Coordinates of all heavy atoms in Angstrom, one line a residue:
V16 N -53.7 -81.0 77.6 CA -53.0 -79.8 78.1 C -51.5 -80.0 78.1 O -51.0 -81.1 78.3 CB -53.6 -79.3 79.4 CG1 -55.1 -79.1 79.4 CG2 -53.2 -80.3 80.5
W17 N -50.8 -78.9 77.9 CA -49.4 -78.8 78.0 C -49.0 -77.7 78.9 O -49.7 -76.7 79.0 CB -48.8 -78.6 76.6 CG -48.8 -79.7 75.7 CD1 -47.8 -80.7 75.4 CD2 -49.9 -80.1 74.8 NE1 -48.3 -81.6 74.5 CE2 -49.5 -81.3 74.1 CE3 -51.2 -79.6 74.6 CZ2 -50.4 -81.9 73.2 CZ3 -52.0 -80.2 73.7 CH2 -51.6 -81.4 73.0
D18 N -47.8 -77.8 79.5 CA -47.3 -76.7 80.4 C -46.4 -75.7 79.7 O -45.9 -74.8 80.3 CB -46.6 -77.3 81.6 CG -45.3 -78.0 81.3 OD1 -45.0 -78.2 80.1 OD2 -44.5 -78.3 82.2
E19 N -46.3 -75.8 78.3 CA -45.6 -74.8 77.5 C -46.4 -74.5 76.3 O -47.3 -75.2 75.9 CB -44.2 -75.4 77.1 CG -43.3 -75.6 78.2 CD -41.9 -76.1 77.8 OE1 -41.6 -75.9 76.6 OE2 -41.2 -76.8 78.6
D20 N -46.1 -73.3 75.7 CA -46.8 -72.8 74.5 C -46.6 -73.8 73.4 O -45.6 -74.5 73.4 CB -46.3 -71.5 74.1 CG -46.8 -70.4 75.1 OD1 -47.7 -70.6 75.9 OD2 -46.2 -69.3 75.0
Q23 N -45.9 -78.0 73.7 CA -44.6 -78.4 74.1 C -44.6 -78.7 75.6 O -45.4 -78.2 76.3 CB -43.5 -77.4 73.7 CG -43.4 -77.0 72.3 CD -43.0 -78.2 71.4 OE1 -42.0 -78.9 71.7 NE2 -43.7 -78.5 70.3
K25 N -44.5 -80.8 79.2 CA -45.3 -81.9 79.9 C -46.7 -81.9 79.3 O -47.4 -80.8 79.2 CB -45.3 -81.6 81.4 CG -46.0 -82.8 82.2 CD -46.1 -82.5 83.6 CE -44.8 -82.4 84.3 NZ -44.9 -82.1 85.8
C33 N -60.6 -80.9 86.3 CA -59.3 -80.7 86.9 C -59.5 -79.5 87.9 O -59.5 -78.4 87.5 CB -58.2 -80.4 85.9 SG -56.6 -80.0 86.6
S35 N -57.4 -78.5 90.1 CA -56.1 -77.8 90.3 C -55.0 -78.4 89.4 O -54.7 -79.6 89.6 CB -55.7 -77.8 91.8 OG -54.3 -77.3 91.9
T36 N -54.5 -77.6 88.5 CA -53.4 -78.2 87.7 C -52.2 -78.5 88.5 O -51.4 -79.5 88.1 CB -53.0 -77.1 86.6 OG1 -52.6 -75.9 87.2 CG2 -54.1 -76.9 85.6
A37 N -52.0 -77.9 89.6 CA -50.9 -78.2 90.5 C -50.9 -79.6 91.0 O -49.9 -80.3 91.2 CB -50.8 -77.2 91.7
E38 N -52.1 -80.2 91.2 CA -52.3 -81.6 91.6 C -51.8 -82.6 90.6 O -51.6 -83.7 90.9 CB -53.8 -81.9 91.9 CG -54.3 -81.1 93.1 CD -55.8 -81.4 93.3 OE1 -56.4 -82.1 92.5 OE2 -56.4 -80.8 94.2
H39 N -51.6 -82.1 89.3 CA -51.1 -82.9 88.2 C -49.7 -82.5 87.8 O -49.3 -82.9 86.7 CB -52.1 -82.9 87.1 CG -53.4 -83.4 87.5 ND1 -53.8 -84.7 87.5 CD2 -54.5 -82.7 87.9 CE1 -55.0 -84.9 87.9 NE2 -55.5 -83.7 88.2
G40 N -49.0 -81.7 88.6 CA -47.6 -81.3 88.3 C -47.5 -80.1 87.3 O -46.4 -79.9 86.8
F41 N -48.6 -79.4 87.1 CA -48.5 -78.2 86.2 C -48.7 -77.0 87.1 O -49.7 -76.9 87.9 CB -49.7 -78.2 85.2 CG -49.6 -79.3 84.2 CD1 -49.8 -80.6 84.4 CD2 -49.3 -78.9 82.8 CE1 -49.7 -81.5 83.4 CE2 -49.3 -79.8 81.8 CZ -49.4 -81.1 82.1
S42 N -47.9 -75.9 86.9 CA -48.2 -74.7 87.6 C -49.4 -74.0 86.9 O -50.2 -73.3 87.5 CB -47.0 -73.8 87.6 OG -46.6 -73.4 86.3
T43 N -49.5 -74.2 85.6 CA -50.6 -73.6 84.8 C -50.6 -74.3 83.4 O -49.6 -75.0 83.1 CB -50.4 -72.1 84.6 OG1 -51.6 -71.6 83.9 CG2 -49.2 -71.7 83.8
V44 N -51.7 -74.1 82.7 CA -51.8 -74.7 81.3 C -51.3 -73.5 80.4 O -51.8 -72.4 80.5 CB -53.2 -75.1 81.0 CG1 -53.4 -75.4 79.5 CG2 -53.6 -76.2 81.9
R45 N -50.4 -73.8 79.5 CA -49.9 -72.8 78.5 C -50.5 -73.1 77.1 O -50.5 -72.2 76.3 CB -48.4 -72.8 78.5 CG -47.8 -72.5 79.8 CD -48.0 -71.1 80.3 NE -47.5 -70.1 79.4 CZ -47.6 -68.8 79.6 NH1 -48.2 -68.4 80.6 NH2 -47.1 -68.0 78.7
S46 N -51.0 -74.3 76.8 CA -51.6 -74.6 75.5 C -52.5 -75.8 75.7 O -52.3 -76.6 76.6 CB -50.5 -74.9 74.4 OG -49.6 -75.9 74.8
F57 N -60.6 -71.9 83.9 CA -60.7 -70.8 85.0 C -59.3 -70.4 85.3 O -58.3 -71.2 85.3 CB -61.4 -71.4 86.2 CG -62.8 -71.8 86.0 CD1 -63.1 -73.0 85.5 CD2 -63.8 -70.9 86.2 CE1 -64.4 -73.4 85.3 CE2 -65.1 -71.2 86.0 CZ -65.4 -72.5 85.5
E58 N -59.2 -69.1 85.6 CA -57.9 -68.5 85.9 C -57.2 -69.1 87.1 O -56.0 -69.2 87.2 CB -58.2 -67.0 86.1 CG -57.0 -66.1 86.6 CD -57.5 -64.7 86.8 OE1 -58.7 -64.4 86.8 OE2 -56.5 -63.9 87.0
H59 N -58.0 -69.4 88.1 CA -57.5 -69.9 89.4 C -57.9 -71.3 89.7 O -58.9 -71.8 89.1 CB -57.9 -69.0 90.6 CG -57.5 -67.6 90.4 ND1 -56.2 -67.2 90.4 CD2 -58.2 -66.5 90.2 CE1 -56.1 -65.9 90.3 NE2 -57.3 -65.4 90.2
C60 N -57.3 -72.0 90.6 CA -57.7 -73.3 91.1 C -59.1 -73.2 91.7 O -59.6 -72.2 92.1 CB -56.7 -73.8 92.1 SG -55.1 -74.1 91.4
F67 N -63.1 -69.0 80.8 CA -62.8 -69.2 79.4 C -63.7 -70.3 78.9 O -63.6 -71.4 79.4 CB -61.4 -69.5 79.1 CG -60.4 -68.6 79.9 CD1 -59.8 -69.1 81.0 CD2 -60.2 -67.3 79.5 CE1 -59.0 -68.3 81.8 CE2 -59.4 -66.5 80.3 CZ -58.7 -67.0 81.4
W77 N -51.9 -68.8 75.5 CA -52.9 -68.2 76.3 C -53.7 -67.2 75.5 O -54.9 -67.0 75.8 CB -52.4 -67.7 77.6 CG -51.4 -66.5 77.4 CD1 -50.1 -66.6 77.3 CD2 -51.7 -65.1 77.3 NE1 -49.5 -65.4 77.1 CE2 -50.5 -64.4 77.1 CE3 -52.9 -64.4 77.4 CZ2 -50.5 -63.0 77.0 CZ3 -52.9 -63.0 77.3 CH2 -51.7 -62.4 77.1
W80 N -57.2 -68.3 74.0 CA -58.4 -68.4 74.8 C -58.7 -67.1 75.6 O -59.8 -66.9 76.1 CB -58.4 -69.6 75.8 CG -57.4 -69.6 76.9 CD1 -57.4 -68.8 78.0 CD2 -56.2 -70.4 77.0 NE1 -56.3 -69.1 78.8 CE2 -55.6 -70.1 78.2 CE3 -55.7 -71.4 76.2 CZ2 -54.4 -70.7 78.6 CZ3 -54.6 -72.1 76.6 CH2 -53.9 -71.7 77.8
V88 N -55.3 -62.8 80.6 CA -55.0 -63.8 81.7 C -54.1 -64.8 81.1 O -54.4 -65.5 80.1 CB -56.2 -64.4 82.2 CG1 -55.9 -65.5 83.3 CG2 -57.2 -63.4 82.8
E89 N -52.8 -64.9 81.6 CA -51.8 -65.8 81.1 C -51.8 -67.1 81.8 O -50.9 -67.9 81.6 CB -50.4 -65.1 81.2 CG -50.3 -63.9 80.4 CD -48.9 -63.3 80.4 OE1 -47.9 -64.2 80.4 OE2 -48.7 -62.1 80.3
R90 N -52.9 -67.4 82.5 CA -52.9 -68.7 83.2 C -54.3 -69.3 83.2 O -55.3 -68.6 83.1 CB -52.4 -68.6 84.6 CG -53.3 -67.7 85.5 CD -52.7 -67.6 86.9 NE -53.4 -66.6 87.7 CZ -53.2 -65.3 87.7 NH1 -52.3 -64.8 87.0 NH2 -54.0 -64.5 88.4
M91 N -54.3 -70.6 83.2 CA -55.5 -71.4 83.4 C -55.1 -72.5 84.4 O -54.3 -73.4 84.1 CB -56.0 -72.0 82.1 CG -57.3 -72.8 82.2 SD -58.1 -73.2 80.7 CE -56.9 -73.9 79.7
C92 N -55.7 -72.5 85.6 CA -55.3 -73.4 86.6 C -56.4 -74.4 87.0 O -56.1 -75.3 87.9 CB -54.9 -72.6 87.9 SG -53.4 -71.6 87.5
S93 N -57.5 -74.4 86.4 CA -58.6 -75.4 86.6 C -59.5 -75.4 85.4 O -59.6 -74.4 84.7 CB -59.3 -75.2 87.9 OG -60.0 -73.9 88.0
F94 N -60.2 -76.5 85.2 CA -61.1 -76.6 84.1 C -62.0 -77.8 84.3 O -61.7 -78.7 85.1 CB -60.4 -76.7 82.7 CG -59.2 -77.7 82.7 CD1 -59.4 -79.0 82.4 CD2 -57.9 -77.3 83.0 CE1 -58.4 -79.9 82.4 CE2 -56.9 -78.2 83.0 CZ -57.1 -79.5 82.7

Side-chain angles (χ1 to χ4, degrees):
V16 300
W17 287 264
D18 67 348
E19 294 181 21
D20 291 344
Q23 301 294 311
K25 187 187 293 183
C33 175
S35 169
T36 56
E38 293 175 358
H39 300 277
F41 290 72
S42 62
T43 187
V44 171
R45 299 298 295 181
S46 56
F57 298 86
E58 175 182 13
H59 301 295
C60 296
F67 314 102
W77 65 269
W80 66 73
V88 176
E89 296 186 35
R90 64 184 174 271
M91 181 168 50
C92 296
S93 60
F94 45 88

